[in-house]
Amino acid sequence: MRIYAICVYVFLYTPIAIIALFSFSAGRSASQLEGLSVKWYGRALNNPFVMDALGNSLFVAFVSATLASILGTLAAVGLQGIRGPARAFFDALIYIAVMIPGIVIGIATLIALVSVFGFINPWLAAMWPEGEAAPQLSMGMGSLIAAHTMFTLALVIIIVRARLAGLEGALNEASADLYATPFGTFRQITLPLIAPAILAGFLLSFTFSFDDFIIAFFVAGSETTLPIYIFSSIRRGITPEVNAIGTMVMVASLIMLVIAQLILRRGAKR
Amino acid sequence: MTQRTRNWLLVAPAGTWLLVMLVLPLSVVFIFSFGERAPSGGYVPAFTFEQYANLPARFTAFKNTLMLAPLGTLAALIIAYPLAYQLAVHTSDKWKTLLLVLVIVPFWTSILIRSYAWIFILGGRGIPALLDIVGVEDVRLINTSFAVLVGIIYGYLPLMVFPIYVSLDRLDKRLLEASSDLGAHPFSTFLKVTLPMSISGIATGCMLVFILLMGEFLIPALLGGGKVFFVGNALVDLFLQSRNWAYGSAVAVMLIVIMLVTVTLYMRLISRLNGQREDAPLM
């Protein structure tokens, strides 16, 4: 049994180790180790395309995770008091958002937005004062953030709702008995109790958005995110530089995971 | 402001977002699936079932998806279960957390990067080269169904281990002792106590993995080399290369229908296996 477990761990970590190892190759070949060097890391960090893609990824992940956390928490709290068909409809929406494959969400968003923009743009141009260039709506950071927020919103709602369900109603009643306003109760009682869940939702959303390739592939327009950059690099042929980028992304995810764990553990202790 | 209005105001922003970014796009796909391709690519409004009639032309993509998704799910389950069992039942608390985190860490690193690592391992200079030394020559692994299956198992194994571990960890270990005290063989204890108690974890794990596999694009694209492709790859091809939105929409609608049917049937089956218990958590 123990040997079996060790085998599975070897299976899980060999590919990761290989990428990390080959990223230190001194030669140009990505599949042969020709001496050790960190030059590919320097090359990656000085590559403006990589840095641009990284910046885009971080920005999109931060904005969409923030929006999803705020809107999702509000919705989870509001949903507690809603019953009947409206509730069933909302639950169905969340279920659909989680169940529909990312690729379908990607193409659906692409054709819907392109169609809507195709309808609005001529109208905008007609409305615009003569002589000035009218703004053109197109796919890009905006559509990317909107799509990622939709997807991660569902996750946040699920996570926060699970935490809310575990809270005791007695606390709210006690607070109301002591003449706290509903908002006061929320701010002083509910919010601190669900804070770890919100934070977990934020971090999960951030990671999903940062790692997402498939939705971004469709809705990012001419913008590039890090996964899109890595994918197109692999298509052109794997280089030690791609391995170096991959290794750095993995290390960064790992650090985020550790930080998330520490925050959540502190939250749970309180 | 009444309680009712307040609740609605809280839900409204998220609801609007889901309507605009989920319901609208899915409705557009549904409507477009009855349309026609514009001569220059894109969509012309129409009401025809032609696109659906043409679906058999993409039979291979559906066949690959419907074979490899369940197969990959099953293989992941078979590999994950003993590990989850070992972690939940036979590992001391001191090591449990660390070992569990070690399972999840790969899942938290980009599936893109983890998948392309297999191009090295399965490619000409990887395992085939090692086999060559042993004397087994000309083994081709990359760009085969096998490569895609390995990629799938590797990518989704952590997602399978976790729910099974949770269900086994909740299991009261005294039940296992009781069973053996009553003279049950360890294997029959496993069949009659452990396995039924972990059905909800198995169900959750299989469903998560299966749902993600149905829409898979990256792994076949990287490890299947254009030979082993899924519905996801057909969709990318139809929307971005041939720009046939109407036909692509029909393929997407078909994929969703197949998913809805299989997942619903599967949940029915699981709830029957579970008897009257309705506690199988989805997430």
Side-chain angles (χ1 to χ4, degrees), chain A residues 15-16 18-25 29-32 40-41 44 230 233-234 238-250, chain B residues 113 116-117 120:
Chain A
I16 294 175
I18 285 179
I19 290 197
L21 182 67
F22 284 175
S23 71
F24 291 105
S25 174
S29 163
S31 54
Q32 229 164 3
W40 294 106
Y41 284 84
I230 295 175
S233 304
I234 297 171
I238 302 167
T239 60
E241 186 182 354
V242 182
N243 288 337
I245 298 167
T247 309
M248 284 190 279
V249 171
M250 289 193 288
Chain B
I113 297 162
Y116 92 68
F120 292 108

PDB file of all heavy atoms in Angstrom, chain A residues 15-16 18-25 29-32 40-41 44 230 233-234 238-250, chain B residues 113 116-117 120:
ATOM      1  N   PRO A  15       6.673  14.922 -14.016  1.00  0.00           N
ATOM      2  CA  PRO A  15       6.571  15.925 -15.089  1.00  0.00           C
ATOM      3  C   PRO A  15       6.963  17.320 -14.613  1.00  0.00           C
ATOM      4  O   PRO A  15       7.676  18.046 -15.319  1.00  0.00           O
ATOM      5  CB  PRO A  15       5.089  15.892 -15.465  1.00  0.00           C
ATOM      6  CG  PRO A  15       4.606  14.563 -15.031  1.00  0.00           C
ATOM      7  CD  PRO A  15       5.383  14.231 -13.800  1.00  0.00           C
ATOM      8  N   ILE A  16       6.547  17.674 -13.406  1.00  0.00           N
ATOM      9  CA  ILE A  16       6.865  18.997 -12.872  1.00  0.00           C
ATOM     10  C   ILE A  16       8.370  19.141 -12.701  1.00  0.00           C
ATOM     11  O   ILE A  16       8.970  20.149 -13.076  1.00  0.00           O
ATOM     12  CB  ILE A  16       6.124  19.204 -11.528  1.00  0.00           C
ATOM     13  CG1 ILE A  16       4.616  19.241 -11.774  1.00  0.00           C
ATOM     14  CG2 ILE A  16       6.601  20.479 -10.840  1.00  0.00           C
ATOM     15  CD1 ILE A  16       3.784  19.330 -10.522  1.00  0.00           C
ATOM     16  N   ILE A  18      10.694  17.547 -14.286  1.00  0.00           N
ATOM     17  CA  ILE A  18      11.372  17.594 -15.590  1.00  0.00           C
ATOM     18  C   ILE A  18      11.352  19.014 -16.158  1.00  0.00           C
ATOM     19  O   ILE A  18      12.369  19.519 -16.625  1.00  0.00           O
ATOM     20  CB  ILE A  18      10.711  16.588 -16.559  1.00  0.00           C
ATOM     21  CG1 ILE A  18      11.141  15.180 -16.170  1.00  0.00           C
ATOM     22  CG2 ILE A  18      11.092  16.898 -18.003  1.00  0.00           C
ATOM     23  CD1 ILE A  18      10.539  14.099 -17.016  1.00  0.00           C
ATOM     24  N   ILE A  19      10.200  19.665 -16.079  1.00  0.00           N
ATOM     25  CA  ILE A  19      10.109  21.044 -16.579  1.00  0.00           C
ATOM     26  C   ILE A  19      11.074  21.946 -15.829  1.00  0.00           C
ATOM     27  O   ILE A  19      11.815  22.734 -16.419  1.00  0.00           O
ATOM     28  CB  ILE A  19       8.676  21.576 -16.434  1.00  0.00           C
ATOM     29  CG1 ILE A  19       7.794  20.851 -17.430  1.00  0.00           C
ATOM     30  CG2 ILE A  19       8.622  23.082 -16.674  1.00  0.00           C
ATOM     31  CD1 ILE A  19       6.502  21.507 -17.693  1.00  0.00           C
ATOM     32  N   ALA A  20      11.078  21.807 -14.495  1.00  0.00           N
ATOM     33  CA  ALA A  20      11.951  22.649 -13.676  1.00  0.00           C
ATOM     34  C   ALA A  20      13.413  22.386 -14.030  1.00  0.00           C
ATOM     35  O   ALA A  20      14.203  23.313 -14.196  1.00  0.00           O
ATOM     36  CB  ALA A  20      11.696  22.379 -12.204  1.00  0.00           C
ATOM     37  N   LEU A  21      13.758  21.112 -14.193  1.00  0.00           N
ATOM     38  CA  LEU A  21      15.147  20.758 -14.500  1.00  0.00           C
ATOM     39  C   LEU A  21      15.573  21.326 -15.853  1.00  0.00           C
ATOM     40  O   LEU A  21      16.617  21.979 -15.962  1.00  0.00           O
ATOM     41  CB  LEU A  21      15.283  19.229 -14.495  1.00  0.00           C
ATOM     42  CG  LEU A  21      16.679  18.684 -14.758  1.00  0.00           C
ATOM     43  CD1 LEU A  21      17.605  19.046 -13.605  1.00  0.00           C
ATOM     44  CD2 LEU A  21      16.648  17.172 -14.940  1.00  0.00           C
ATOM     45  N   PHE A  22      14.771  21.110 -16.885  1.00  0.00           N
ATOM     46  CA  PHE A  22      15.130  21.561 -18.228  1.00  0.00           C
ATOM     47  C   PHE A  22      15.142  23.085 -18.354  1.00  0.00           C
ATOM     48  O   PHE A  22      15.732  23.613 -19.282  1.00  0.00           O
ATOM     49  CB  PHE A  22      14.197  20.952 -19.272  1.00  0.00           C
ATOM     50  CG  PHE A  22      14.506  19.504 -19.565  1.00  0.00           C
ATOM     51  CD1 PHE A  22      13.711  18.756 -20.410  1.00  0.00           C
ATOM     52  CD2 PHE A  22      15.604  18.897 -18.977  1.00  0.00           C
ATOM     53  CE1 PHE A  22      14.004  17.426 -20.673  1.00  0.00           C
ATOM     54  CE2 PHE A  22      15.901  17.568 -19.236  1.00  0.00           C
ATOM     55  CZ  PHE A  22      15.092  16.828 -20.086  1.00  0.00           C
ATOM     56  N   SER A  23      14.493  23.757 -17.410  1.00  0.00           N
ATOM     57  CA  SER A  23      14.508  25.219 -17.485  1.00  0.00           C
ATOM     58  C   SER A  23      15.896  25.763 -17.155  1.00  0.00           C
ATOM     59  O   SER A  23      16.197  26.904 -17.457  1.00  0.00           O
ATOM     60  CB  SER A  23      13.466  25.806 -16.537  1.00  0.00           C
ATOM     61  OG  SER A  23      13.863  25.635 -15.201  1.00  0.00           O
ATOM     62  N   PHE A  24      16.726  24.924 -16.539  1.00  0.00           N
ATOM     63  CA  PHE A  24      18.081  25.367 -16.189  1.00  0.00           C
ATOM     64  C   PHE A  24      19.105  24.966 -17.249  1.00  0.00           C
ATOM     65  O   PHE A  24      20.296  25.099 -17.045  1.00  0.00           O
ATOM     66  CB  PHE A  24      18.500  24.798 -14.823  1.00  0.00           C
ATOM     67  CG  PHE A  24      17.731  25.380 -13.681  1.00  0.00           C
ATOM     68  CD1 PHE A  24      16.737  24.650 -13.042  1.00  0.00           C
ATOM     69  CD2 PHE A  24      17.979  26.685 -13.265  1.00  0.00           C
ATOM     70  CE1 PHE A  24      16.012  25.201 -11.997  1.00  0.00           C
ATOM     71  CE2 PHE A  24      17.267  27.228 -12.220  1.00  0.00           C
ATOM     72  CZ  PHE A  24      16.273  26.493 -11.584  1.00  0.00           C
ATOM     73  N   SER A  25      18.613  24.437 -18.361  1.00  0.00           N
ATOM     74  CA  SER A  25      19.520  24.017 -19.422  1.00  0.00           C
ATOM     75  C   SER A  25      20.281  25.219 -19.972  1.00  0.00           C
ATOM     76  O   SER A  25      19.720  26.289 -20.149  1.00  0.00           O
ATOM     77  CB  SER A  25      18.741  23.342 -20.538  1.00  0.00           C
ATOM     78  OG  SER A  25      19.589  23.071 -21.614  1.00  0.00           O
ATOM     79  N   SER A  29      18.356  23.632 -26.772  1.00  0.00           N
ATOM     80  CA  SER A  29      17.379  22.564 -26.886  1.00  0.00           C
ATOM     81  C   SER A  29      16.586  22.425 -25.586  1.00  0.00           C
ATOM     82  O   SER A  29      17.126  22.514 -24.497  1.00  0.00           O
ATOM     83  CB  SER A  29      18.058  21.240 -27.199  1.00  0.00           C
ATOM     84  OG  SER A  29      17.175  20.176 -26.917  1.00  0.00           O
ATOM     85  N   ALA A  30      15.290  22.212 -25.740  1.00  0.00           N
ATOM     86  CA  ALA A  30      14.436  22.121 -24.564  1.00  0.00           C
ATOM     87  C   ALA A  30      14.367  20.703 -24.032  1.00  0.00           C
ATOM     88  O   ALA A  30      13.884  20.470 -22.933  1.00  0.00           O
ATOM     89  CB  ALA A  30      13.038  22.611 -24.896  1.00  0.00           C
ATOM     90  N   SER A  31      14.851  19.740 -24.826  1.00  0.00           N
ATOM     91  CA  SER A  31      14.692  18.361 -24.360  1.00  0.00           C
ATOM     92  C   SER A  31      16.026  17.691 -24.082  1.00  0.00           C
ATOM     93  O   SER A  31      16.104  16.499 -23.894  1.00  0.00           O
ATOM     94  CB  SER A  31      13.891  17.554 -25.378  1.00  0.00           C
ATOM     95  OG  SER A  31      14.489  17.649 -26.636  1.00  0.00           O
ATOM     96  N   GLN A  32      17.097  18.482 -24.109  1.00  0.00           N
ATOM     97  CA  GLN A  32      18.399  17.910 -23.788  1.00  0.00           C
ATOM     98  C   GLN A  32      19.116  18.852 -22.839  1.00  0.00           C
ATOM     99  O   GLN A  32      19.166  20.058 -23.080  1.00  0.00           O
ATOM    100  CB  GLN A  32      19.212  17.743 -25.068  1.00  0.00           C
ATOM    101  CG  GLN A  32      19.820  16.377 -25.196  1.00  0.00           C
ATOM    102  CD  GLN A  32      20.285  16.124 -26.617  1.00  0.00           C
ATOM    103  OE1 GLN A  32      20.206  16.991 -27.482  1.00  0.00           O
ATOM    104  NE2 GLN A  32      20.781  14.927 -26.854  1.00  0.00           N
ATOM    105  N   TRP A  40      17.986  31.421 -19.055  1.00  0.00           N
ATOM    106  CA  TRP A  40      16.644  31.451 -19.642  1.00  0.00           C
ATOM    107  C   TRP A  40      15.670  32.199 -18.752  1.00  0.00           C
ATOM    108  O   TRP A  40      14.677  32.749 -19.227  1.00  0.00           O
ATOM    109  CB  TRP A  40      16.150  30.043 -19.942  1.00  0.00           C
ATOM    110  CG  TRP A  40      16.981  29.418 -21.026  1.00  0.00           C
ATOM    111  CD1 TRP A  40      17.917  28.438 -20.880  1.00  0.00           C
ATOM    112  CD2 TRP A  40      16.990  29.773 -22.412  1.00  0.00           C
ATOM    113  NE1 TRP A  40      18.514  28.157 -22.079  1.00  0.00           N
ATOM    114  CE2 TRP A  40      17.953  28.962 -23.043  1.00  0.00           C
ATOM    115  CE3 TRP A  40      16.271  30.701 -23.181  1.00  0.00           C
ATOM    116  CZ2 TRP A  40      18.221  29.043 -24.404  1.00  0.00           C
ATOM    117  CZ3 TRP A  40      16.536  30.776 -24.540  1.00  0.00           C
ATOM    118  CH2 TRP A  40      17.497  29.972 -25.137  1.00  0.00           C
ATOM    119  N   TYR A  41      15.959  32.197 -17.442  1.00  0.00           N
ATOM    120  CA  TYR A  41      15.107  32.968 -16.529  1.00  0.00           C
ATOM    121  C   TYR A  41      15.273  34.453 -16.820  1.00  0.00           C
ATOM    122  O   TYR A  41      14.311  35.202 -16.875  1.00  0.00           O
ATOM    123  CB  TYR A  41      15.452  32.652 -15.073  1.00  0.00           C
ATOM    124  CG  TYR A  41      14.903  31.325 -14.629  1.00  0.00           C
ATOM    125  CD1 TYR A  41      15.586  30.143 -14.891  1.00  0.00           C
ATOM    126  CD2 TYR A  41      13.683  31.252 -13.973  1.00  0.00           C
ATOM    127  CE1 TYR A  41      15.064  28.921 -14.527  1.00  0.00           C
ATOM    128  CE2 TYR A  41      13.157  30.030 -13.588  1.00  0.00           C
ATOM    129  CZ  TYR A  41      13.853  28.875 -13.866  1.00  0.00           C
ATOM    130  OH  TYR A  41      13.329  27.669 -13.502  1.00  0.00           O
ATOM    131  N   ALA A  44      13.541  35.294 -20.005  1.00  0.00           N
ATOM    132  CA  ALA A  44      12.073  35.379 -19.848  1.00  0.00           C
ATOM    133  C   ALA A  44      11.682  36.689 -19.165  1.00  0.00           C
ATOM    134  O   ALA A  44      10.732  37.365 -19.579  1.00  0.00           O
ATOM    135  CB  ALA A  44      11.559  34.185 -19.042  1.00  0.00           C
ATOM    136  N   ILE A 230       1.936  31.215 -23.340  1.00  0.00           N
ATOM    137  CA  ILE A 230       2.601  29.911 -23.202  1.00  0.00           C
ATOM    138  C   ILE A 230       2.100  28.941 -24.263  1.00  0.00           C
ATOM    139  O   ILE A 230       2.879  28.244 -24.910  1.00  0.00           O
ATOM    140  CB  ILE A 230       2.379  29.327 -21.781  1.00  0.00           C
ATOM    141  CG1 ILE A 230       3.055  30.223 -20.736  1.00  0.00           C
ATOM    142  CG2 ILE A 230       2.928  27.913 -21.682  1.00  0.00           C
ATOM    143  CD1 ILE A 230       2.785  29.803 -19.302  1.00  0.00           C
ATOM    144  N   SER A 233       3.571  29.733 -27.561  1.00  0.00           N
ATOM    145  CA  SER A 233       4.998  29.382 -27.571  1.00  0.00           C
ATOM    146  C   SER A 233       5.187  27.887 -27.778  1.00  0.00           C
ATOM    147  O   SER A 233       6.070  27.466 -28.521  1.00  0.00           O
ATOM    148  CB  SER A 233       5.667  29.771 -26.258  1.00  0.00           C
ATOM    149  OG  SER A 233       5.485  31.122 -26.007  1.00  0.00           O
ATOM    150  N   ILE A 234       4.342  27.088 -27.104  1.00  0.00           N
ATOM    151  CA  ILE A 234       4.462  25.634 -27.253  1.00  0.00           C
ATOM    152  C   ILE A 234       4.213  25.250 -28.706  1.00  0.00           C
ATOM    153  O   ILE A 234       4.882  24.394 -29.269  1.00  0.00           O
ATOM    154  CB  ILE A 234       3.462  24.907 -26.333  1.00  0.00           C
ATOM    155  CG1 ILE A 234       3.760  25.200 -24.868  1.00  0.00           C
ATOM    156  CG2 ILE A 234       3.525  23.400 -26.554  1.00  0.00           C
ATOM    157  CD1 ILE A 234       2.694  24.685 -23.933  1.00  0.00           C
ATOM    158  N   ILE A 238       8.853  24.074 -28.086  1.00  0.00           N
ATOM    159  CA  ILE A 238       9.196  24.324 -26.693  1.00  0.00           C
ATOM    160  C   ILE A 238      10.659  24.743 -26.590  1.00  0.00           C
ATOM    161  O   ILE A 238      11.536  24.144 -27.188  1.00  0.00           O
ATOM    162  CB  ILE A 238       8.956  23.060 -25.847  1.00  0.00           C
ATOM    163  CG1 ILE A 238       7.495  22.627 -25.983  1.00  0.00           C
ATOM    164  CG2 ILE A 238       9.287  23.314 -24.398  1.00  0.00           C
ATOM    165  CD1 ILE A 238       7.226  21.253 -25.452  1.00  0.00           C
ATOM    166  N   THR A 239      10.912  25.818 -25.831  1.00  0.00           N
ATOM    167  CA  THR A 239      12.284  26.260 -25.585  1.00  0.00           C
ATOM    168  C   THR A 239      12.516  26.261 -24.081  1.00  0.00           C
ATOM    169  O   THR A 239      11.556  26.219 -23.310  1.00  0.00           O
ATOM    170  CB  THR A 239      12.480  27.702 -26.087  1.00  0.00           C
ATOM    171  OG1 THR A 239      11.556  28.537 -25.381  1.00  0.00           O
ATOM    172  CG2 THR A 239      12.228  27.812 -27.580  1.00  0.00           C
ATOM    173  N   PRO A 240      13.784  26.306 -23.648  1.00  0.00           N
ATOM    174  CA  PRO A 240      14.037  26.400 -22.207  1.00  0.00           C
ATOM    175  C   PRO A 240      13.376  27.639 -21.598  1.00  0.00           C
ATOM    176  O   PRO A 240      13.035  27.650 -20.415  1.00  0.00           O
ATOM    177  CB  PRO A 240      15.559  26.487 -22.120  1.00  0.00           C
ATOM    178  CG  PRO A 240      16.049  25.836 -23.359  1.00  0.00           C
ATOM    179  CD  PRO A 240      15.031  26.153 -24.412  1.00  0.00           C
ATOM    180  N   GLU A 241      13.159  28.669 -22.437  1.00  0.00           N
ATOM    181  CA  GLU A 241      12.515  29.876 -21.921  1.00  0.00           C
ATOM    182  C   GLU A 241      11.089  29.577 -21.477  1.00  0.00           C
ATOM    183  O   GLU A 241      10.648  30.025 -20.417  1.00  0.00           O
ATOM    184  CB  GLU A 241      12.511  30.980 -22.985  1.00  0.00           C
ATOM    185  CG  GLU A 241      11.990  32.294 -22.430  1.00  0.00           C
ATOM    186  CD  GLU A 241      11.924  33.406 -23.472  1.00  0.00           C
ATOM    187  OE1 GLU A 241      12.390  33.215 -24.604  1.00  0.00           O
ATOM    188  OE2 GLU A 241      11.393  34.468 -23.128  1.00  0.00           O
ATOM    189  N   VAL A 242      10.369  28.795 -22.284  1.00  0.00           N
ATOM    190  CA  VAL A 242       9.004  28.406 -21.908  1.00  0.00           C
ATOM    191  C   VAL A 242       9.042  27.619 -20.598  1.00  0.00           C
ATOM    192  O   VAL A 242       8.203  27.809 -19.715  1.00  0.00           O
ATOM    193  CB  VAL A 242       8.336  27.562 -23.019  1.00  0.00           C
ATOM    194  CG1 VAL A 242       6.920  27.203 -22.631  1.00  0.00           C
ATOM    195  CG2 VAL A 242       8.344  28.310 -24.331  1.00  0.00           C
ATOM    196  N   ASN A 243      10.031  26.728 -20.481  1.00  0.00           N
ATOM    197  CA  ASN A 243      10.159  25.960 -19.241  1.00  0.00           C
ATOM    198  C   ASN A 243      10.428  26.877 -18.043  1.00  0.00           C
ATOM    199  O   ASN A 243       9.907  26.647 -16.952  1.00  0.00           O
ATOM    200  CB  ASN A 243      11.298  24.953 -19.363  1.00  0.00           C
ATOM    201  CG  ASN A 243      10.938  23.823 -20.292  1.00  0.00           C
ATOM    202  OD1 ASN A 243       9.753  23.548 -20.512  1.00  0.00           O
ATOM    203  ND2 ASN A 243      11.930  23.177 -20.857  1.00  0.00           N
ATOM    204  N   ALA A 244      11.244  27.904 -18.268  1.00  0.00           N
ATOM    205  CA  ALA A 244      11.546  28.836 -17.178  1.00  0.00           C
ATOM    206  C   ALA A 244      10.271  29.582 -16.760  1.00  0.00           C
ATOM    207  O   ALA A 244       9.987  29.734 -15.567  1.00  0.00           O
ATOM    208  CB  ALA A 244      12.622  29.824 -17.613  1.00  0.00           C
ATOM    209  N   ILE A 245       9.477  30.029 -17.753  1.00  0.00           N
ATOM    210  CA  ILE A 245       8.220  30.722 -17.437  1.00  0.00           C
ATOM    211  C   ILE A 245       7.300  29.784 -16.667  1.00  0.00           C
ATOM    212  O   ILE A 245       6.729  30.146 -15.633  1.00  0.00           O
ATOM    213  CB  ILE A 245       7.522  31.203 -18.732  1.00  0.00           C
ATOM    214  CG1 ILE A 245       8.401  32.204 -19.477  1.00  0.00           C
ATOM    215  CG2 ILE A 245       6.179  31.839 -18.409  1.00  0.00           C
ATOM    216  CD1 ILE A 245       7.922  32.484 -20.892  1.00  0.00           C
ATOM    217  N   GLY A 246       7.190  28.545 -17.184  1.00  0.00           N
ATOM    218  CA  GLY A 246       6.339  27.556 -16.526  1.00  0.00           C
ATOM    219  C   GLY A 246       6.755  27.328 -15.079  1.00  0.00           C
ATOM    220  O   GLY A 246       5.919  27.283 -14.175  1.00  0.00           O
ATOM    221  N   THR A 247       8.063  27.196 -14.848  1.00  0.00           N
ATOM    222  CA  THR A 247       8.562  26.956 -13.494  1.00  0.00           C
ATOM    223  C   THR A 247       8.240  28.134 -12.580  1.00  0.00           C
ATOM    224  O   THR A 247       7.788  27.947 -11.451  1.00  0.00           O
ATOM    225  CB  THR A 247      10.087  26.718 -13.526  1.00  0.00           C
ATOM    226  OG1 THR A 247      10.369  25.725 -14.501  1.00  0.00           O
ATOM    227  CG2 THR A 247      10.590  26.262 -12.178  1.00  0.00           C
ATOM    228  N   MET A 248       8.429  29.350 -13.111  1.00  0.00           N
ATOM    229  CA  MET A 248       8.138  30.527 -12.278  1.00  0.00           C
ATOM    230  C   MET A 248       6.650  30.596 -11.930  1.00  0.00           C
ATOM    231  O   MET A 248       6.282  30.916 -10.800  1.00  0.00           O
ATOM    232  CB  MET A 248       8.587  31.796 -13.005  1.00  0.00           C
ATOM    233  CG  MET A 248      10.093  31.976 -12.969  1.00  0.00           C
ATOM    234  SD  MET A 248      10.625  33.599 -13.559  1.00  0.00           S
ATOM    235  CE  MET A 248      10.584  33.382 -15.312  1.00  0.00           C
ATOM    236  N   VAL A 249       5.793  30.275 -12.915  1.00  0.00           N
ATOM    237  CA  VAL A 249       4.347  30.290 -12.654  1.00  0.00           C
ATOM    238  C   VAL A 249       4.001  29.264 -11.577  1.00  0.00           C
ATOM    239  O   VAL A 249       3.223  29.537 -10.656  1.00  0.00           O
ATOM    240  CB  VAL A 249       3.539  30.003 -13.948  1.00  0.00           C
ATOM    241  CG1 VAL A 249       2.069  29.800 -13.638  1.00  0.00           C
ATOM    242  CG2 VAL A 249       3.711  31.146 -14.936  1.00  0.00           C
ATOM    243  N   MET A 250       4.625  28.085 -11.674  1.00  0.00           N
ATOM    244  CA  MET A 250       4.335  27.048 -10.685  1.00  0.00           C
ATOM    245  C   MET A 250       4.771  27.476  -9.289  1.00  0.00           C
ATOM    246  O   MET A 250       4.039  27.286  -8.317  1.00  0.00           O
ATOM    247  CB  MET A 250       5.009  25.731 -11.079  1.00  0.00           C
ATOM    248  CG  MET A 250       4.341  25.082 -12.280  1.00  0.00           C
ATOM    249  SD  MET A 250       4.825  23.375 -12.558  1.00  0.00           S
ATOM    250  CE  MET A 250       6.492  23.548 -13.143  1.00  0.00           C
TER     251      MET A 250
ATOM    252  N   ILE B 113       0.834  23.878 -18.357  1.00  0.00           N
ATOM    253  CA  ILE B 113       2.246  23.563 -18.145  1.00  0.00           C
ATOM    254  C   ILE B 113       2.431  22.082 -17.801  1.00  0.00           C
ATOM    255  O   ILE B 113       3.312  21.411 -18.323  1.00  0.00           O
ATOM    256  CB  ILE B 113       2.822  24.454 -17.023  1.00  0.00           C
ATOM    257  CG1 ILE B 113       2.758  25.922 -17.457  1.00  0.00           C
ATOM    258  CG2 ILE B 113       4.251  24.069 -16.699  1.00  0.00           C
ATOM    259  CD1 ILE B 113       2.874  26.895 -16.321  1.00  0.00           C
ATOM    260  N   TYR B 116       2.027  19.933 -20.994  1.00  0.00           N
ATOM    261  CA  TYR B 116       3.073  19.911 -22.008  1.00  0.00           C
ATOM    262  C   TYR B 116       4.309  19.184 -21.523  1.00  0.00           C
ATOM    263  O   TYR B 116       5.126  18.743 -22.324  1.00  0.00           O
ATOM    264  CB  TYR B 116       3.336  21.301 -22.602  1.00  0.00           C
ATOM    265  CG  TYR B 116       4.405  22.158 -21.983  1.00  0.00           C
ATOM    266  CD1 TYR B 116       5.755  21.816 -22.069  1.00  0.00           C
ATOM    267  CD2 TYR B 116       4.073  23.341 -21.365  1.00  0.00           C
ATOM    268  CE1 TYR B 116       6.729  22.626 -21.538  1.00  0.00           C
ATOM    269  CE2 TYR B 116       5.052  24.159 -20.827  1.00  0.00           C
ATOM    270  CZ  TYR B 116       6.371  23.791 -20.908  1.00  0.00           C
ATOM    271  OH  TYR B 116       7.332  24.595 -20.378  1.00  0.00           O
ATOM    272  N   ALA B 117       4.440  19.007 -20.194  1.00  0.00           N
ATOM    273  CA  ALA B 117       5.544  18.212 -19.677  1.00  0.00           C
ATOM    274  C   ALA B 117       5.509  16.802 -20.274  1.00  0.00           C
ATOM    275  O   ALA B 117       6.556  16.191 -20.495  1.00  0.00           O
ATOM    276  CB  ALA B 117       5.469  18.134 -18.158  1.00  0.00           C
ATOM    277  N   PHE B 120       7.517  15.934 -23.418  1.00  0.00           N
ATOM    278  CA  PHE B 120       8.890  15.453 -23.211  1.00  0.00           C
ATOM    279  C   PHE B 120       8.907  13.956 -22.919  1.00  0.00           C
ATOM    280  O   PHE B 120       9.653  13.204 -23.493  1.00  0.00           O
ATOM    281  CB  PHE B 120       9.536  16.097 -21.975  1.00  0.00           C
ATOM    282  CG  PHE B 120       9.814  17.545 -22.087  1.00  0.00           C
ATOM    283  CD1 PHE B 120       9.050  18.454 -21.384  1.00  0.00           C
ATOM    284  CD2 PHE B 120      10.854  18.005 -22.874  1.00  0.00           C
ATOM    285  CE1 PHE B 120       9.313  19.801 -21.461  1.00  0.00           C
ATOM    286  CE2 PHE B 120      11.124  19.352 -22.951  1.00  0.00           C
ATOM    287  CZ  PHE B 120      10.351  20.257 -22.245  1.00  0.00           C
TER     288      PHE B 120
END
